[in-house]
Amino acid sequence: MVQRGAKRLRIGRRWETGGHHRKALRTTAVGAVSATLVAGSALGLAPAAQAAPNSVRFVDIGGDGGTTLKANVVTPAGADGTHRYPLLVMPTSWGLPQVEYFAQAQKLANSGYVVVSYNVRGFWQSGGEIEVAGPPDIADASKVIDWALANTPADARQIGMAGVSYGAGISLLTAAHDKRVRAVAALSGWADLIGSIYSGRTQHVQAAALLDGAGLITGRQSAEIRQIFDDFYASNLSKEQDIINWGKKRSVGTYVDQLNDSGAAVMMANAWGDTIFPPNQYADFYEKLTGPKRLEFRPGDHATAELTGLFGLPNDVWTDTERWFDHYLKGDDNGINRELPVQLKSRSGGAYEGYPDWKSVGATDKKISLAGTTTIRANVDSGANGGVVFLSSILDQVAQVPPMAAIPLLPRRWAAVWQSEKYSSAQRVRGTSKLHTTVTPTKESGTLVAYLYDVGPLGLGKLVSNAPYTFHGHTPGQPFGLDLELYSTSYDVPAGHRLALVVDTVDPLYIEHNPSGARLTFSSPANDPSYVSIPLREQ
C-alpha cells in the first residue's frame, strides 16, 4: 500500500520540477482565465453596465503580517461618499484569479452593494503561501474588511461574505471568528475538511490530486501543506492524527458554537455529486446551526451549479445568494426567510422541493435485507465504481447519465451483490442511505466501497450513491460490525426497477488498503441482521 501511495506521490512531484516552466504556465493561465471571465462578464452584463456603470478599482490590500492581497473593488454607480452601502467580501476559489466574481460583483453593485473580491494568499499575484484556510487566511479576510471600511463607502453594520469552494470555506470560518460578518453564502464549500477528502478513513485520491495539481500550477504551497499531501498520498498512519488535527483547525464545524453565538445568517449550497466536498458534511453541519439558515442541493459536481453565474448568465444559486443578502443585510422583505429552508432539486429532474429541516427530507426508511454469507477477494476492480472526478457527475447533471454497471455481469468473485424486489411504484430516494453489516476480514487492514444502483429491467445499473470505508488494526478472522453512510442524494427510481447494493474493494476515486490475498466475508447474524436503509420521500 505504501508503494502504491508512493507511486502516486512521484506522479504528483513531477509538478514540482521545472519551476520556470510552471511560472510561465501560471502567467499564461492567469491571462487566459482572466480574459475569459472578464469577457463573459461583459457579455452577460452589458445592458446593466451601459445603464449604470459601476466604479471598478484594482487595489493592493495588506493582509495578515503585511502580505499583499490582490483585490478588486466594485462600487455602486453614483456613490459619492454621502451614503453607506452593504459590504460583500468575496475570497476567490482555489486556483482562480481575482476576476472570478467580476460578473456577480457588477450585478451586486448594481443592486447597491460595495463588493471586494480578492485573491487569497499563496495564489496568483497575491503574496504569501497557500495555507488551506488556516489562521492567516482568516486573519486576511478580517484585514480586507478593515480596509473596505476605511477606503470605501461600506456600512460597518451590514457586512456579508460569499464565495465558491475555497472562498466558501474561508467565508464560513471568518464568520465564526469575526462577529462583524452578519450573513454568509457558502457555495460548494466544506464544513468538515477531513469528512470531505478522508471520509470513511479513506483517502479521496483523485480529489486530492486535483487540488494539489491546481495549487502547484497557480500558487505557492507552504512546507506544511506539501508535507500534508505527501503523508496523505503515502498512507502514513503514524501521521494520521496530525492530518486530522490539521483538518479540524480548517473546518468551521469545529467552531460551530462560535458561529451560532455570532448570529450570522448562513446559506449553504452544494451539488449532489460533488466529488471534492460531498453533501453529507454540509447537511450534518446545517443541522447544528441555530441562527437563520438555508440549505440548497442541486444536481452537478463541484462548483458546476454556480458556474454559469460566474459569466453573468441566469443562475438559481446566485439569484438565491442575492436574495439572501438583500434580506439579511438590507432588510428587504423578499420572503426568503418564510420559504422552507431546505431546498432540493432531484437528479431525476422536476421542480425544487422544500423541507422544514434536513431530517424531514427522507420521511420514511425502507430496508433492503442483505441476507446470507458472501465472501469476496480484494485488490481487483469489479467494474462497479464511482466514475471519474468531475466528469461523471457533470454527465449526470447535463444528461442524467451517471456511472453505470451491468449488475448481472459483475464478477461475484470480487463483488458482493444484493438486490431488492421490483418496485411497483416509483421510489423517491431522498437523503442518506445507510449500510449496516458484519464483516470478517482475513487481514488486519482493508478497504471496501459500497454502491447503490438503480437497476432497470435489462440489469443495467445507474449509480445512485456510493461511499468508501477503510479499517486498520482488526484481528484476522474476527467479525466486526460496520456502519457506513453513503453520500446523500435525491434520485427517483422508476416503477419496475430494483435497487441493488454492490460492495467491492477497489475504486479509482480512492486509495485502497487491501493487503495481497485479502478476503472479506459479509454475514447477517440472526441477532444483528445486515441491511441497507433507503430514505424515501413521503409518497
Side-chain angles (χ1 to χ4, degrees):
M1 188 59 248
V2 171
Q3 291 176 345
R4 189 179 295 108
K7 183 178 180 180
R8 291 189 178 97
L9 183 57
R10 287 195 295 273
I11 292 173
R13 279 179 173 164
R14 281 189 231 160
W15 293 100
E16 297 185 76
T17 61
H20 294 296
H21 178 61
R22 181 156 58 88
K23 183 176 180 181
L25 279 173
R26 185 161 61 235
T27 302
T28 302
V30 70
V33 175
S34 299
T36 302
L37 287 172
V38 170
S41 303
L43 178 63
L45 292 175
Q50 290 170 5
N54 301 305
S55 168
V56 180
R57 290 186 290 153
F58 289 85
V59 300
D60 290 350
I61 297 176
D64 186 51
T67 298
T68 298
L69 304 174
K70 295 292 183 177
N72 58 68
V73 183
V74 185
T75 306
D80 57 7
T82 62
H83 179 75
R84 293 287 165 179
Y85 300 89
L87 168 67
L88 292 180
V89 172
M90 304 177 73
T92 52
S93 301
W94 184 275
L96 288 185
Q98 69 190 74
V99 295
E100 174 187 4
Y101 305 118
F102 192 73
Q104 287 303 319
Q106 290 274 33
K107 281 189 172 184
L108 289 162
N110 284 337
S111 297
Y113 292 91
V114 171
V115 184
V116 180
S117 61
Y118 69 96
N119 245 124
V120 292
R121 66 170 53 223
F123 284 102
W124 298 105
Q125 284 81 26
S126 283
E129 296 177 322
I130 300 171
E131 298 286 345
V132 193
D137 289 307
I138 311 311
D140 283 347
S142 290
K143 291 285 189 180
V144 172
I145 293 173
D146 293 341
W147 183 92
L149 294 178
N151 294 277
T152 74
D155 189 337
R157 301 164 300 174
Q158 298 173 302
I159 299 173
M161 289 191 67
V164 176
S165 184
Y166 196 37
I170 291 175
S171 294
L172 284 170
L173 283 160
T174 304
H177 288 84
D178 190 331
K179 290 188 176 182
R180 293 177 297 178
V181 179
R182 305 310 307 145
V184 175
L187 316 178
S188 291
W190 76 92
D192 181 350
L193 191 56
I194 296 301
S196 296
I197 63 172
Y198 192 53
S199 70
R201 211 178 175 186
T202 308
Q203 296 99 321
H204 296 209
V205 67
Q206 285 189 14
L210 189 68
L211 294 172
D212 188 8
L216 287 167
I217 292 174
T218 64
R220 299 166 299 282
Q221 294 185 353
S222 66
E224 181 184 39
I225 185 181
R226 184 66 261 158
Q227 190 61 53
I228 290 291
F229 273 123
D230 290 353
D231 291 339
F232 185 86
Y233 294 139
S235 306
N236 188 344
L237 287 179
S238 68
K239 298 292 186 179
E240 182 181 38
Q241 192 58 51
D242 291 342
I243 293 174
I244 291 172
N245 294 339
W246 175 87
K248 284 184 176 180
K249 184 184 294 185
R250 291 160 170 80
S251 300
V252 71
T254 303
Y255 314 101
V256 63
D257 290 342
Q258 292 176 219
L259 186 55
N260 285 334
D261 289 343
S262 78
V266 177
M267 171 183 157
M268 300 186 295
N270 205 348
W272 293 119
D274 195 319
T275 45
I276 308 293
F277 304 127
N280 301 46
Q281 45 94 32
Y282 248 17
D284 291 344
F285 179 69
Y286 174 84
E287 287 293 272
K288 297 174 183 176
L289 293 173
T290 59
K293 58 183 179 178
R294 183 179 177 93
L295 179 66
E296 301 183 353
F297 285 132
R298 298 173 176 84
D301 204 312
H302 184 65
T304 62
E306 303 91 344
L307 184 60
T308 57
L310 294 179
F311 294 95
L313 301 174
N315 182 278
D316 290 352
V317 187
W318 288 104
T319 295
D320 286 348
T321 294
E322 184 170 346
R323 292 175 64 223
W324 189 253
F325 288 129
D326 284 350
H327 179 75
Y328 286 103
L329 294 184
K330 289 183 177 179
D332 289 358
D333 185 14
N334 56 19
I336 196 168
N337 58 313
R338 294 188 294 275
E339 296 173 0
L340 291 172
V342 176
Q343 293 286 322
L344 312 180
K345 191 169 187 178
S346 173
R347 290 166 48 203
S348 304
Y352 285 93
E353 302 167 358
Y355 300 86
D357 49 40
W358 176 251
K359 63 178 178 290
S360 299
V361 170
T364 60
D365 285 331
K366 181 175 288 188
K367 290 183 179 179
I368 300 172
S369 174
L370 310 181
T373 299
T374 303
T375 298
I376 61 173
R377 291 166 172 79
N379 299 307
V380 173
D381 188 342
S382 70
N385 63 65
V388 179
V389 65
F390 273 123
L391 177 61
S392 297
S393 291
I394 292 175
L395 283 173
D396 188 35
Q397 177 184 2
V398 300
Q400 294 184 12
V401 181
M404 298 184 187
I407 304 303
L409 300 182
L410 292 176
R412 275 24 179 201
R413 181 183 182 91
W414 296 298
V417 181
W418 298 267
Q419 295 192 72
S420 72
E421 76 284 358
K422 284 186 179 180
Y423 295 116
S424 59
S425 60
Q427 305 294 296
R428 299 177 179 179
V429 180
R430 300 290 187 273
T432 309
S433 298
K434 299 176 183 179
L435 168 64
H436 173 75
T437 190
T438 296
V439 181
T440 304
T442 60
K443 305 290 185 178
E444 61 90 23
S445 294
T447 296
L448 60 89
V449 186
Y451 309 89
L452 188 66
Y453 283 99
D454 161 23
V455 185
L458 299 180
L460 183 64
K462 294 183 177 182
L463 188 66
V464 177
S465 185
N466 76 291
Y469 182 90
T470 294
F471 60 89
H472 297 287
H474 281 269
T475 302
Q478 183 69 37
F480 65 92
L482 182 153
D483 289 285
L484 175 63
E485 290 191 348
L486 277 62
Y487 300 140
S488 303
T489 194
S490 177
Y491 183 97
D492 296 343
V493 179
H497 287 213
R498 308 174 186 265
L499 281 171
L501 182 79
V502 177
V503 180
D504 72 1
T505 63
V506 175
D507 190 309
L509 288 172
Y510 313 111
I511 290 180
E512 48 93 359
H513 300 258
N514 296 296
S516 179
R519 299 183 184 184
L520 299 176
T521 296
F522 302 93
S523 58
S524 183
N527 63 344
D528 187 19
S530 296
Y531 61 85
V532 58
S533 177
I534 311 298
L536 299 176
R537 180 186 176 190
E538 189 173 358
Q539 300 298 315

